[in-house]
């Protein structure tokens, strides 16, 4: 079922400040540098001997996720695609910033479920919300996330380290997400979920290799998070 509701339900959504106070400030409670989202900037100490690394991704409804997707899974996908980039640089995630452009017909219940998904993945990946922004839009639901991590100084795994003759390794099964999207386009989301649930999960809920990334330092000559297909990213 699509997450959109009748207009009379949507009007119950709190104001921007109330929304932040009720749903997103609790996600910062474990980090004093976030100042409970009451300041324009957050502070994040980086471990001595480490560089800070950053990655930003944007998800647009109808392009990167389905309107029928559960809000908590959309939140997790938003976080995980950026954590995957941190891992591909050999880094360990520390925190993140979010920017939400919300159409007027998104109900409070959807946002509650969205915040729940973030809370669950914060525990799973040991990260914390540091700040962000919310705004209204007449366009599609648009979600942006900046992940912040750290890597030993000078040890970030860069794509430029690759050379002719290097062996190529991948994690997981190449093409699952693309195949899932193709199946949905052919037979519809409901049928795809019924007959190929594990395959569809690969598209809806990616699994970032946050534990593997730091282990590749001084082993991998280069690394990349495959998001556009193996051949394109190679």
């Amino acid at each position: 079922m699509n997450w959109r509701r009748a207009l009379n339900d949507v009007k119950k959504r709190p104001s921007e400040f109330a929304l932040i106070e009720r749903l997103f400030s609790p996600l910062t409670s474990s980090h004093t540098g976030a100042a409970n989202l009451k300041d324009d900037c957050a502070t994040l100490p980086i471990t001595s001997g480490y560089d800070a690394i950053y990655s930003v991704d944007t998800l647009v409804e109808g392009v990167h996720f389905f309107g029928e997707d559960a809000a908590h899974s959309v939140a997790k996908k938003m976080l995980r695609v950026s954590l995957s980039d941190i891992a591909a640089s050999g880094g360990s995630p520390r925190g993140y910033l979010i920017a939400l452009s919300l159409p007027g017909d998104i109900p409070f219940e959807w946002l509650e479920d969205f915040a729940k998904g973030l809370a669950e993945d914060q525990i799973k990946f040991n990260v914390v919300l540091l700040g962000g922004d919310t705004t209204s839009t007449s366009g599609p639901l648009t979600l942006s996330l900046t992940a912040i991590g750290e890597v030993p100084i000078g040890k970030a795994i860069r794509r430029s380290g690759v050379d002719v003759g290097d062996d190529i390794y991948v994690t997981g099964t190449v093409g699952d997400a693309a195949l899932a999207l193709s199946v949905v386009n052919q037979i519809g989301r409901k049928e795809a979920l019924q007959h190929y649930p594990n395959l569809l999960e690969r598209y809806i809920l990616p699994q970032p290799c946050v534990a593997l990334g730091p282990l590749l330092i001084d082993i991998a000559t280069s690394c990349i998070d495959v998001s556009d297909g193996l051949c394109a990213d190679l």
Side-chain angles (χ1 to χ4, degrees):
M1 182 178 180
N2 196 288
W3 47 261
R4 297 186 187 278
R5 300 290 193 272
L7 185 59
N8 60 345
D9 289 333
V10 178
K11 288 181 179 178
K12 298 176 183 177
R13 196 171 85 194
S15 67
E16 177 184 357
F17 295 113
L19 195 66
I20 292 171
E21 182 70 24
R22 291 176 62 178
L23 297 184
F24 298 112
S25 288
L27 298 178
T28 72
S29 60
S30 64
H31 197 282
T32 57
N36 291 318
L37 302 184
K38 297 184 183 298
D39 210 320
D40 285 335
C41 294
T43 60
L44 177 66
I46 298 299
T47 305
S48 177
Y50 282 71
D51 283 326
I53 53 176
Y54 311 87
S55 177
V56 60
D57 281 285
T58 299
L59 304 184
V60 179
E61 179 204 352
V63 179
H64 304 99
F65 62 92
F66 300 110
E68 296 83 1
D69 289 344
H72 65 271
S73 69
V74 174
K76 291 180 178 183
K77 183 173 186 177
M78 178 186 72
L79 178 58
R80 294 180 186 201
V81 294
S82 289
L83 295 186
S84 186
D85 287 332
I86 296 291
S89 294
S92 299
R94 293 286 306 281
Y96 65 98
L97 309 168
I98 57 175
L100 311 180
S101 295
L102 306 173
D105 59 353
I106 293 188
F108 180 68
E109 292 80 7
W110 191 93
L111 292 168
E112 279 186 311
D113 194 40
F114 182 86
K116 178 182 176 182
L118 290 177
E120 291 173 352
D121 263 11
Q122 284 191 179
I123 296 173
K124 182 178 180 68
F125 297 108
N126 192 31
V127 292
V128 63
L129 176 65
L130 296 170
D133 186 40
T134 62
T135 187
S136 297
T137 180
S138 59
L141 173 62
T142 303
L143 313 168
S144 183
L145 185 143
T146 299
I148 304 169
E150 60 183 19
V151 64
I153 293 176
K155 293 296 186 178
I157 306 173
R158 296 299 188 186
R159 299 176 187 179
S160 56
V162 71
D163 202 0
V164 175
D166 283 352
D167 293 327
I168 299 168
Y169 295 85
V170 297
T171 61
T173 305
V174 174
D176 278 352
L179 180 58
L181 184 58
S182 177
V183 169
V184 169
N185 289 333
Q186 290 180 32
I187 66 175
R189 188 176 187 277
K190 182 177 179 180
E191 290 294 317
L193 273 173
Q194 181 179 351
H195 297 290
Y196 307 102
N198 293 334
L199 185 63
L200 197 62
E201 185 173 284
R202 293 282 291 159
Y203 176 81
I204 295 175
L205 200 61
Q207 301 294 330
C209 299
V210 294
L212 176 61
L215 299 179
L216 297 178
I217 293 177
D218 292 329
I219 297 177
T221 56
S222 65
C223 194
I224 187 171
D225 167 41
V226 178
S227 57
D228 296 317
L230 179 61
C231 291
D233 284 337
L234 280 176

